[in-house]
Amino acid sequence: MPKAFARALLAFFDAHQRDLPWRRRKGAYYTLVSELMLQQTVVATVIPYFHRFVARFPDLRTLAAADEADVLALWSGLGYYSRARNLHRTARAVVERHGGELPADEAALRALPGVGPYTAAAIAAIAYGIHTFPLDGNGARVFARIFAERGAIDRTGLKEALAAAALPLVPKDRPGDFAQAVMDLGATVCRPAAPDCGGCPVAPHCQARRLGIEAELPVRLVKAKRRLVELACVAIEREGRVLLRRRAPGELLAGTFTLPAVEGDGTAVRGLVTGLGLRLVGEPERIGAIRHVFTHRDVTATVYRVATRGELPPSAEQGWIGEADLGSLAISSFARKTLALLNTTVATSAAAPSVRVASKPRRQRSARMVSPVIT
């Protein structure tokens, strides 16, 4: 089976491989960037981010020398910001430990921040031709069907077992192409629903197909319900700008800028404003609510427009942000949803979102504009 399986799969890859930008650019750095971006994110979403990211940070040394705020700003809207922080930390670690070149050794790769077994194997196989096998979600689905695996593929240890079982099928001369072929097969043929078994190059080797259970596999554990979270966000506008705060390390969306927010309903707004060092004038005006689903949270955020008095101390963690500032800040898709409630215009470009406060701000005491530049 191994040789026949590999021949059929690689013939499929040679004829039908997807034209992806990280495949056109050879090098371990591009594999690293693409693999981290692709974690829990679809290919179509990643492609424009990848282009912009490697144009701004063409190599690990350039990335290592950058400020984290610049890295997060370019990642803005892609989500799962810990990936960006890990990528930045990895770049610095590689410069310090390996002279700016990603190692080929899987153990050395796994010692880098945010580089787990899959990413290490992907870099080793695709960039360096090491005989190993990275098993992603698509690959786990493919081999759960090939081996008729009835266990839950997201159960601890089962992916590793599938990867070990598949390794003998990997040809020693083309491990990177084999890995990418499995990714493409899972994305285009061996799909989660209605797999195209008639168009599958390895269907003769598929035990699930032979047993007629391909539609039943893979099995997954029942996911825990997301925690429901209610947030109150305040929109404080002055001279055509809106106050945004940077989320602290350890918080959800850490390092990105959002409207000041607190868990709770409208009764929490007064305390939130006071906590900013400002005084609330009149009653908060509820202007709308948005829903945003995170991996472990289902968030409903209600936005209140408030009038305030007082001045903010100079800080790199918050500032009065206008349209021209947003392209240089990390603004998450969650934050853009809340800003869109403020009679705003939100550009569709994730790299340089443009938000203009269209409503005329209430007349208030003049306030010194706080620089949005992150230090």
Side-chain angles (χ1 to χ4, degrees):
M1 174 180 171
K3 289 184 178 179
F5 185 96
R7 279 198 301 268
L9 183 62
L10 290 171
F12 159 81
F13 183 69
D14 291 339
H16 304 292
Q17 65 176 286
R18 292 176 293 175
D19 182 17
L20 302 174
W22 41 90
R23 292 179 179 172
R24 296 181 218 148
R25 296 172 177 262
K26 301 300 182 182
Y29 173 64
Y30 302 116
T31 304
L32 171 68
V33 173
S34 64
E35 289 299 337
L36 287 182
M37 286 188 168
L38 286 164
Q39 290 174 8
Q40 302 187 66
T41 307
V42 298
V43 167
T45 299
V46 166
I47 288 175
Y49 281 92
F50 177 84
H51 281 305
R52 288 189 290 264
F53 197 90
V54 298
R56 174 66 179 82
F57 307 117
D59 52 50
L60 281 164
R61 289 188 180 277
T62 307
L63 178 58
D67 290 333
E68 182 182 281
D70 294 334
V71 177
L72 290 175
L74 210 55
W75 202 275
S76 179
L78 191 57
Y80 300 99
Y81 291 91
S82 62
R83 298 178 299 172
R85 288 187 289 272
N86 282 333
L87 178 56
H88 190 216
R89 286 194 287 266
T90 285
R92 291 183 168 177
V94 170
V95 169
E96 293 171 2
R97 304 176 200 170
H98 304 287
E101 294 294 328
L102 276 164
D105 179 69
E106 283 188 71
L109 287 166
R110 289 175 65 170
L112 297 171
V115 178
Y118 165 76
T119 304
I123 294 169
I126 296 170
Y128 294 117
I130 303 298
H131 186 249
T132 186
F133 181 55
L135 189 75
D136 67 350
N138 281 334
R141 181 171 61 254
V142 168
F143 282 103
R145 288 169 173 163
I146 292 294
F147 298 133
E149 173 56 60
R150 298 173 187 268
I153 62 170
D154 42 3
R155 192 182 71 222
T156 301
L158 187 53
K159 273 191 178 180
E160 289 80 359
L162 283 173
L167 185 60
L169 304 175
V170 180
K172 287 183 167 50
D173 59 337
R174 297 182 66 184
D177 287 346
F178 184 93
Q180 293 177 99
V182 172
M183 297 173 193
D184 284 10
L185 186 71
T188 63
V189 177
C190 195
R191 300 181 296 262
D196 180 17
C197 295
C200 180
V202 294
H205 307 282
C206 182
Q207 295 183 42
R209 174 68 169 167
R210 180 174 57 82
L211 296 171
I213 59 171
E214 64 274 11
E216 301 171 21
L217 300 178
V219 175
R220 295 184 182 274
L221 296 173
V222 177
K223 292 184 177 180
K225 289 185 178 180
R226 293 184 179 92
R227 184 166 72 91
L228 300 178
V229 178
E230 184 176 7
L231 291 181
C233 305
V234 297
I236 307 170
E237 301 165 13
R238 294 189 179 180
E239 300 182 16
R241 297 184 174 216
V242 65
L243 179 65
L244 297 184
R245 300 192 74 194
R246 183 164 64 174
R247 303 283 290 178
E251 291 184 330
L252 186 66
L253 301 174
T256 68
F257 278 81
T258 65
L259 292 172
V262 64
E263 192 164 337
D265 57 18
T267 60
V269 169
R270 185 173 296 277
L272 175 57
V273 171
T274 302
L276 295 172
L278 301 172
R279 297 189 301 279
L280 185 66
V281 177
E283 293 299 317
E285 174 193 356
R286 184 188 185 282
I287 61 173
I290 62 99
R291 182 187 175 205
H292 193 89
V293 178
F294 295 93
T295 304
H296 302 295
R297 298 173 180 85
D298 189 339
V299 176
T300 298
T302 303
V303 178
Y304 297 86
R305 181 179 276 116
V306 298
T308 64
R309 289 181 180 172
E311 293 190 14
L312 296 171
S315 171
E317 306 306 315
Q318 62 188 23
W320 301 104
I321 308 300
E323 179 179 8
D325 303 319
L326 288 173
S328 61
L329 297 178
I331 308 291
S332 67
S333 56
F334 165 77
R336 288 203 298 274
K337 282 183 182 180
T338 59
L339 290 168
L341 295 175
L342 305 178
N343 297 320
T344 59
T345 301
V346 182
T348 56
S349 169
S354 176
V355 179
R356 180 172 61 254
V357 178
S359 59
K360 186 176 180 180
R362 295 173 173 83
R363 185 176 300 279
Q364 302 183 43
R365 290 175 53 186
S366 62
R368 181 154 47 100
M369 294 296 128
V370 181
S371 170
V373 178
I374 306 304
T375 58

